Amino acid sequence: MKKDRFIVTIDGPAGSGKSTISKLIAERDGFLHIDTGALYRAIGYLTDGQPTKNDLNNIHFNIRINNKIEIFYNGENIEKFIRNEECGMLASNVAKIDYVRDFVNKTARKIASVGKYIIDGRDCGSVIFPYADLKIFLDADLKERAKRRAFEDKRSVEEIEKEIEKRDKQDKSRNIAPLMKPNDAVVIDTTNLTIEDVYSKIKEMIKERYEHKDS
Ligand code: C5P
């Protein structure tokens, strides 16, 4: 049955609200959340930004699925180490390497077999799941995105603004799988929207696409 698998991708720049909304949809609507950025962050963190092909063979993520993937390394959940902006930049650096991208793409595709998935990142709709049932591209003004991150990281807006601007520029200008809006994605500008506004919009689109998907 085609409805055995339903995939929603959410791409967009840093701080546009991708992971917040993905978590909410996972919790409320029984989707499994695959945070591809977390995989790049983990690789950047574990290899200090310099992964060799061999390092990747030795990284065994223990991915536990409840409604999100959790990344364990040597038995430890590494979530608390990978969320800062320094690790974001390490992730962006390793994300330019072709074998790292292959590794992340294969990992995400392997996880998303049967079920409902919400997958967020930069190239989820353009490269990893070009046949996704619904593609969303979230965006917001740089200042607003920096404010959100500064609030989470407890740092100054100006400092974070510079960092995410640099990271977005690097993500947009790289040769492989740059951050871009897939042609068939629905764009939502979250600058002046609450999380609940964004949730309602996406939920409505999911309902519509799911009902019209061939069974
Ligand atoms: O989404 P998050 O900020 O956790 O992503 C960290 C970095 O990982 C991004 O800046 C980007 O360079 C990289 N990334 C990517 N492709 C994805 C997800 C993340 O290149 N699908």
Side-chain angles (χ1 to χ4, degrees), residues 48-61:
D48 211 9
Q50 317 242 319
T52 62
K53 277 190 186 169
N54 203 36
D55 285 336
L56 295 178
N57 295 332
N58 294 327
I59 293 178
H60 297 288
F61 295 112

Side-chain angles (χ1 to χ4, degrees), residues 29-47:
D29 302 304
F31 278 69
L32 295 177
H33 175 204
I34 305 176
D35 174 353
T36 58
L39 295 170
Y40 287 104
R41 284 172 183 264
I43 294 166
Y45 169 73
L46 294 171
T47 66

Side-chain angles (χ1 to χ4, degrees), residues 114-126:
V114 171
K116 296 194 290 181
Y117 298 90
I118 184 134
I119 302 146
D120 81 293
R122 303 292 184 290
D123 65 339
C124 299
S126 55

Side-chain angles (χ1 to χ4, degrees), residues 10-15 18-19 35-41 82-85 87-96 101 104-105 119-125 128 149 164 167-168 170-172 174 176-179:
I10 306 205
D11 293 301
K18 302 181 302 290
S19 65
D35 174 353
T36 58
L39 295 170
Y40 287 104
R41 284 172 183 264
I82 63 171
R83 289 297 160 193
N84 53 46
E85 191 45 43
C87 208
M89 201 58 204
L90 279 180
S92 180
N93 292 341
V94 303
K96 289 191 273 185
R101 301 207 72 82
V104 171
N105 296 354
I119 302 146
D120 81 293
R122 303 292 184 290
D123 65 339
C124 299
I128 317 184
R149 278 289 152 92
I164 63 176
R167 181 149 69 97
D168 285 344
Q170 175 158 290
D171 290 344
K172 282 181 190 158
R174 69 177 172 226
I176 5 169
L179 164 65

Side-chain angles (χ1 to χ4, degrees), residues 16-17 20-21 24 28 138 144 148 188-202:
S16 54
T20 307
I21 200 67
L24 206 59
R28 291 185 182 171
L138 284 193
E144 176 60 26
R148 294 174 189 169
I188 303 178
D189 187 323
T190 68
T191 310
N192 297 309
L193 297 178
T194 65
I195 294 166
E196 289 301 332
D197 293 336
V198 181
Y199 173 76
S200 308
K201 279 181 191 287
I202 297 180

Side-chain angles (χ1 to χ4, degrees), residues 38 42-43 45-46 59-64 69-82:
I43 294 166
Y45 169 73
L46 294 171
I59 293 178
H60 297 288
F61 295 112
N62 182 356
I63 296 169
R64 298 201 181 156
I69 58 165
E70 287 174 353
I71 303 168
F72 286 73
Y73 184 71
N74 282 342
E76 189 178 12
N77 186 333
I78 63 169
E79 173 73 20
K80 59 181 173 294
F81 305 117
I82 63 171

